[in-house]
Amino acid sequence: MGSDGAAKAAIRRKVTVVGAGMVGGAVAQALALRNYADIVLVDIVEGLPQGKALDLMQAGPVLGYDTRLTGTNDYTETAASDLVVITSGIARKPGMSRDDLLRTNLQIVRSVTEQVVEQSPDAVLIVVSNPLDAMCHVAFDTANLPRERVIGMAGVLDSARFRTFIAMELGVSVADVQAMVLGGHGDTMVPLSRFSTVAGIPIPELIPGARIREIETRTAGGGAEIVSLLKTGSAYFAPGASVVQMVDAILLDTGRVLPCSVLLQGEYGLNGLYVGVPVKLGAGGIQEIVQLNLSDEEATALRGSAAAVQELVDSMANMAMADASGGY
Ligand SMILES: NC(=O)c1ccc[n+]([C@@H]2O[C@H](COP(=O)([O-])OP(=O)(O)OC[C@H]3O[C@@H](n4cnc5c(N)ncnc54)[C@H](O)[C@@H]3O)[C@@H](O)[C@H]2O)c1
């Protein structure tokens, strides 16, 4: 029995989750249940990651997982992670401008990225912090890793919301619904009805066009709908589960094709911009960017969504110029 621990440590994967808030906790919970990776939760607040890790460990005997969870405020404990999920950030507070939020979160994501990459230079990074596509740029610029290893989570969540609403509309199992959402993570996202199906049948053959528009609008406002219901805080169960679907695809090398925010370098006619498109995920992160044959209308909507991301990137560049340190 004594040697089992060492043998297990050699084969189990290691995932760090930075930010032990609502989304970080949900990621850790969903991943713990998968039972193939040990998890390190990191937060700036003392006691929070330690408390969540211990609580989740104590769910193990009941739910039947052996996942080792560690909570820490010290990045050395994250060393040699295979994958790092970045959920740290603050929510917009009353009186805070969009630029104030952007500046605060980019400073948090930059500092976190520096520290995780120093400890785990071979890790794949999944960025979750908002504004998502802009934070992917910050992580990518800071990490100095190939684009294949700095990936944003948004499309899996947005398409899960779209799938849910389609299944609710038709009264069918979500298992039979596939859906695709492209673009930036915001109200300019592009739900693609033509590429969304129930048992292989495109939804325009099943749902009247006007109703599809309503479902698309609800999908694009999916995050805001939850915020308005919760009053404090934002969604975390579905975001956590969505991150874990990406973690599975990468660490179990499944080759799943999922919409993710990736740095486009000419694909979809976009260059140097993080935008959500379908990618094949497997060992090492992005293995392929899948090019869909978009109609003129869909391509225009994607360009519009990319322009909204570009605006945020420009705002960050302006902040960098105004900042005497020369950084963001
Ligand atoms: N991409 C998506 O689809 C998606 C979905 C949901 C939420 N989000 C975003 O994820 C982020 C987290 O949301 P949440 O609901 O968990 O928020 P939360 O406030 O519950 O948790 C954020 C955590 O980050 C920690 N933190 C702040 N600064 C830090 C630092 N420098 N180092 C380490 N930890 C730090 C905080 O202490 C807090 O525990 C937000 O930016 C949110 O907008 C994105």
Side-chain angles (χ1 to χ4, degrees):
M1 277 173 81
S3 62
D4 274 6
K8 198 169 84 173
I11 56 161
R12 285 180 76 85
R13 312 307 295 267
K14 180 171 178 179
V15 174
T16 286
V17 180
V18 185
M22 299 313 287
V23 174
V27 170
Q29 185 181 35
L31 186 59
L33 283 164
R34 307 285 296 120
N35 213 4
Y36 65 81
D38 291 323
I39 301 167
V40 182
L41 267 172
V42 189
D43 203 283
I44 201 164
V45 176
E46 281 181 28
L48 178 64
Q50 292 86 347
K52 283 210 176 168
L54 190 56
D55 193 11
L56 284 166
M57 284 281 279
Q58 292 166 355
V62 184
L63 295 175
Y65 58 76
D66 291 314
T67 304
R68 220 173 9 227
L69 291 118
T70 311
T72 184
N73 310 106
D74 174 2
Y75 282 86
T76 58
E77 294 199 50
T78 70
S81 294
D82 297 292
L83 192 147
V84 177
V85 181
I86 299 177
T87 77
S88 48
I90 62 157
R92 191 156 157 181
K93 300 191 175 92
M96 199 177 197
S97 74
R98 198 196 62 157
D99 273 4
D100 289 342
L101 179 76
L102 189 61
R103 182 185 289 274
T104 303
N105 279 354
L106 77 82
Q107 284 165 347
I108 291 172
V109 170
R110 184 176 55 187
S111 132
V112 161
T113 305
E114 276 165 5
Q115 296 178 82
V116 291
V117 171
E118 191 184 347
Q119 298 296 331
S120 304
D122 297 325
V124 174
L125 309 187
I126 296 180
V127 180
V128 184
S129 310
N130 273 324
L132 189 271
D133 308 282
M135 292 306 107
C136 290
H137 275 272
V138 175
F140 177 77
D141 290 346
T142 309
N144 200 20
L145 297 176
R147 68 168 174 163
E148 287 75 15
R149 284 169 48 203
V150 183
I151 314 164
M153 189 293 288
V156 176
L157 172 63
D158 297 330
S159 56
R161 287 177 171 151
F162 199 20
R163 287 173 68 186
T164 305
F165 296 144
I166 293 166
M168 283 162 62
E169 180 70 14
L170 294 171
V172 297
S173 164
V174 285
D176 295 321
V177 182
Q178 289 299 322
M180 185 55 72
V181 177
L182 304 188
H185 184 50
D187 43 19
T188 62
M189 72 178 72
V190 187
L192 286 185
S193 297
R194 229 163 41 90
F195 293 91
S196 301
T197 59
V198 178
I201 306 164
I203 62 164
E205 293 179 29
L206 300 169
I207 306 174
R211 182 66 187 138
I212 289 180
R213 297 289 95 72
E214 287 173 7
I215 295 171
E216 289 176 346
T217 303
R218 188 174 181 194
T219 301
E225 183 177 359
I226 304 263
V227 168
S228 72
L229 290 166
L230 291 179
K231 311 280 191 308
T232 56
S234 51
Y236 50 94
F237 289 123
S242 301
V243 168
V244 171
Q245 187 168 60
M246 291 171 63
V247 175
D248 273 357
I250 295 165
L251 294 186
L252 303 178
D253 193 21
T254 62
R256 285 217 56 182
V257 177
L258 300 170
C260 300
S261 183
V262 293
L263 184 69
L264 296 179
Q265 293 175 331
E267 300 89 355
Y268 289 90
L270 296 166
N271 209 358
L273 206 57
Y274 266 90
V275 175
V277 297
V279 297
K280 181 180 157 198
L281 286 183
I286 295 166
Q287 295 184 334
E288 189 185 328
I289 293 180
V290 176
Q291 191 88 35
L292 298 176
N293 203 357
L294 298 183
S295 68
D296 287 348
E297 195 188 339
E298 290 159 349
T300 303
L302 183 61
R303 275 196 299 276
S305 187
V309 177
Q310 184 68 56
E311 228 176 87
L312 291 176
V313 172
D314 291 345
S315 295
M316 294 196 297
N318 291 337
M319 285 174 197
M321 277 196 283
D323 187 341
S325 75
Y328 280 122

